[in-house]
Amino acid sequence: MGADATTLHVAVHAMASSLQPQVAAVFFVSAACTVALAVLLASLRLRPPWWCACPVCEAYVTASWAREFDNLCDWYAHLLRRAPGRTVHVHVLGNVLTANPATVDHMLRCRFDNYPKGAPFSAILADFLGRGIFNVDGDSWLFQRKLAAAELAAPALRGFAANVVASELRCRLIPLLHSACSDGSERLLDLQDVFRRFAFDCICKISFGLDPGCLELSLPISAFADAFDTASMLSARRATVPMHVVWKMKRLLNIGEERELRDAIRLVDALAAEVIRQRRKLGSTASGDDLLSRFMGSINDDKYLRDIVVSFMLAGRDTVASALTAFFLLLSDHPEVATAIRDEVFQVAGGRDPTADSFEFDKLKDMHYVHAALHECLRLFPPVQFDSKFAAGEDTLPDGTFVAKGTRVTYHAYAMGRMESVWGPDYAVFRPERWLRGGQFVPESPYRYPVFQGGVRVCIGKELAIMEMKAVIVAVVRSFDMEAVDRSSRRPKFAPGLTATFAGGVPVRVRRRARERGHCAPS
């Protein structure tokens, strides 16, 4: 009997020991949730400094703006058009928003040193972008910018990029569009998805020297692309939360959207690691014309290389795909612009396809109407709708707005493209001619049109991106008509993200143009 009691005592002790970590974990999580709830209730009771009951803040917190506007960016544009100085303060976010060109000039040029990205912004995107060029300041930003700028300006890389784009058009994009209408069924394509795949292939080849098809991944490439989109969307949502302690607590406890974000980033990390591994595996057997090879020559830290790879993907895939999707959505509503583009292409290139061979890409520079149409599209639908900085010190903006140290200051490119004070009474009209003088393209000040930023941080990939987008526009418009189905540029609906994304995609019906119908689809 004594032996049985001893055995039972040992068994109970062993069971208690095995359960101890789980019980401790439960108590810890319960205590953390209790503390978080207490802090939240205390904050609400004390009405902290950021609390505000003004109409703007009340509409933001209650989301009552959604009764009248489909998108937050459209509500902001509405507010900024009505504001006397084209500047509004969303107090609950600690955020000053502006659509005033003088203020943008002040931020990006005159007082550049006072408006860095800042630690709060970097913290929001740190898990996704790490120390990539879009999420850092100071020496780290300067190092990446100098190296990337030098390579992007090199004739060898520009020629390499032109070859890549010509090949992707000839071998993948154009055959895909032909196949969509070859059997007469005119099946629907999600244009946003098509352009994301095209831009991803291009950026992998140009920036990493790799064809995505060669990557040895545990899942289909589409799963990694979906993870990238999820990481972008959930990272952007962090910035919309009035109390950052909320998402930080969720991250600590690994629950809700933060758990979903962590899972998505794990896949993004795997994709970036495979890109680096394959690039290193190719070594000297490859051309070495790509950007990643240049960075690998200066950096031995794979985590740092991972951040650079993710930043290039965001810049080269998401922004280009967003702009091209918006462009063809606009063309669907404005077929007269497509006709004008075809007339210019025929006038400049004759019967030849200027995108069939990279040696013909120089002709794109002479297509001023195409250039104007693209810039007009970017005015209305900038891929990056806003950009935020954090004031390093106190300041007063040109419109008289006082900015306290640590305040988030945002210039809103989407709203700026829709300001009557900047573009005139027809600001809402898609009119490429506003960019032409005597048939020649005339650029706007980057502080009135900050689509590619301005000042010291002006986009270093601008010319490369414009070349790629113009090549796609010319190649597609000369051969196909596209009709958006149940979508319109006049009332878009955006999904959350770091770049403008159309919610639900953009389904289109593709039709081969009459003069192309007798041709065989490319093989």
Side-chain angles (χ1 to χ4, degrees), residues 123-124 126-127 238 245-255 258-259 261-262:
I124 290 170
D127 293 329
R238 283 179 171 179
V245 68
V246 174
W247 69 259
K248 289 181 178 179
M249 184 63 72
K250 287 182 178 180
R251 183 178 63 173
L252 177 66
L253 300 175
N254 195 29
I255 59 174
E258 287 299 315
R259 182 172 185 172
L261 175 59
R262 184 171 295 181

Side-chain angles (χ1 to χ4, degrees), residues 180-181 185-190 332 480-486 506-512:
C181 52
S185 63
E186 296 180 348
R187 62 186 174 91
L188 297 183
L189 288 179
D190 179 357
S332 177
F480 301 96
D481 287 312
M482 291 192 184
E483 176 191 357
V485 178
D486 298 327
V506 179
V508 297
R509 186 172 288 110
V510 183
R511 296 188 180 92
R512 191 181 301 136

Side-chain angles (χ1 to χ4, degrees), residues 122 125-133 135-136 303 306-307 311:
S122 296
L125 300 180
D127 293 329
F128 182 36
L129 298 183
R131 293 175 289 163
I133 191 170
N135 204 40
V136 291
K303 177 64 173 69
R306 173 264 180 212
D307 298 340
S311 294

